[in-house]
Amino acid sequence: MTAPDPAVLSRIQEKLATLSRLAAGHDAGVVIEGPAPLEPIPDLPGVAEVYSLFGRIEGDNFRFHAPKEITSPHAWAAFSVDPDDPMGSPLTVGYELASVPRGLRGEIRGGDPIYLDREDLDVYYMESSAYVYQYEHPDEDVEFTVIAPDVATFFDEHVLGARYPDLVATVLGPAAAEERLRKGRHAGEYADNWRRLLIAAGLAS
């Protein structure tokens, strides 16, 4: 495991700055909170460094913020692996929001999580029902999708870049990725306000 390329971190930082400027006059509901510095976690090279670049990112379909386990070296030292967890107690890097009613999003942290494997640092998605099934049938294989080889690539390409539609399709399905608005000032545009913001910034299509 190696730390992310400084150029990737710089690119993420630049994208966040661009999106923050555009979001001010763009769609309601987009949240980009400023940097929230974290101390590096030697066991997780590059993870705290990425999450130090923002406090929270949120659009119609996803919410991302630092896993509580990495908010400090003390929090990481206090984290214990569940020996019965068939997936090795991964960290949660974010949540889908499409399944959460808008009026409850301030009270509910999110729907299905997107995970970070603590051993190889892959970012992957696994339906909650599949996770429960794996608990009940630990000797059987269940389906999950590796999205990115590390958290820096995940944010650079899948949250802040051209592969964002792939993330939506993987977690919420192809129809959600292509859904468009039928009325209002954005009629004919993508329903997902985060995708519209990325398009306005020239970061996705």
Side-chain angles (χ1 to χ4, degrees):
M1 298 188 293
T2 59
D5 184 342
V8 177
L9 294 178
S10 179
R11 190 160 61 239
I12 292 172
Q13 190 172 33
E14 290 174 2
K15 289 180 177 181
L16 287 168
T18 298
L19 292 168
S20 293
R21 288 194 299 270
L22 287 174
H26 199 66
D27 292 312
V30 170
V31 176
I32 305 173
E33 294 181 353
L38 300 170
E39 291 188 48
I41 306 293
D43 294 339
L44 303 170
V47 177
E49 290 85 340
V50 170
Y51 280 103
S52 290
L53 301 177
F54 63 91
R56 177 165 60 112
I57 295 173
E58 184 174 324
D60 281 331
N61 288 327
F62 297 100
R63 172 181 290 156
F64 300 102
H65 52 73
K68 64 182 185 300
E69 296 88 351
I70 70 163
T71 52
S72 70
H74 176 74
W76 179 247
F79 173 59
S80 59
V81 175
D82 179 357
D84 296 321
D85 189 330
M87 300 303 289
S89 296
L91 303 182
T92 298
V93 302
Y95 298 89
E96 60 84 8
L97 291 178
S99 65
V100 180
R102 290 188 181 278
L104 297 177
R105 291 185 180 183
E107 304 171 28
I108 299 175
R109 60 185 179 181
D112 274 359
I114 298 170
Y115 296 108
L116 173 70
D117 188 286
R118 295 179 306 100
E119 299 299 324
D120 60 23
L121 302 185
D122 281 350
V123 176
Y124 68 93
Y125 173 67
M126 182 181 195
E127 292 184 1
S128 293
S129 58
Y131 210 139
V132 172
Y133 184 86
Q134 183 77 97
Y135 258 109
E136 298 172 344
H137 305 84
D139 296 327
E140 296 187 28
D141 292 331
V142 296
E143 185 176 341
F144 64 92
T145 302
V146 174
I147 300 171
D150 56 76
V151 75
T153 300
F154 173 69
F155 279 100
D156 182 34
E157 298 182 1
H158 296 267
V159 178
L160 307 172
R163 299 195 65 184
Y164 175 75
D166 297 337
L167 174 64
V168 178
T170 296
V171 178
L172 303 176
E178 298 305 315
E179 183 181 0
R180 292 178 182 266
L181 295 169
R182 297 182 179 179
K183 57 184 179 180
R185 67 190 182 95
H186 293 294
E189 297 180 31
Y190 288 107
D192 182 346
N193 62 0
W194 188 257
R195 186 169 182 179
R196 293 200 302 271
L197 183 62
L198 291 177
I199 291 171
L203 298 175
S205 60

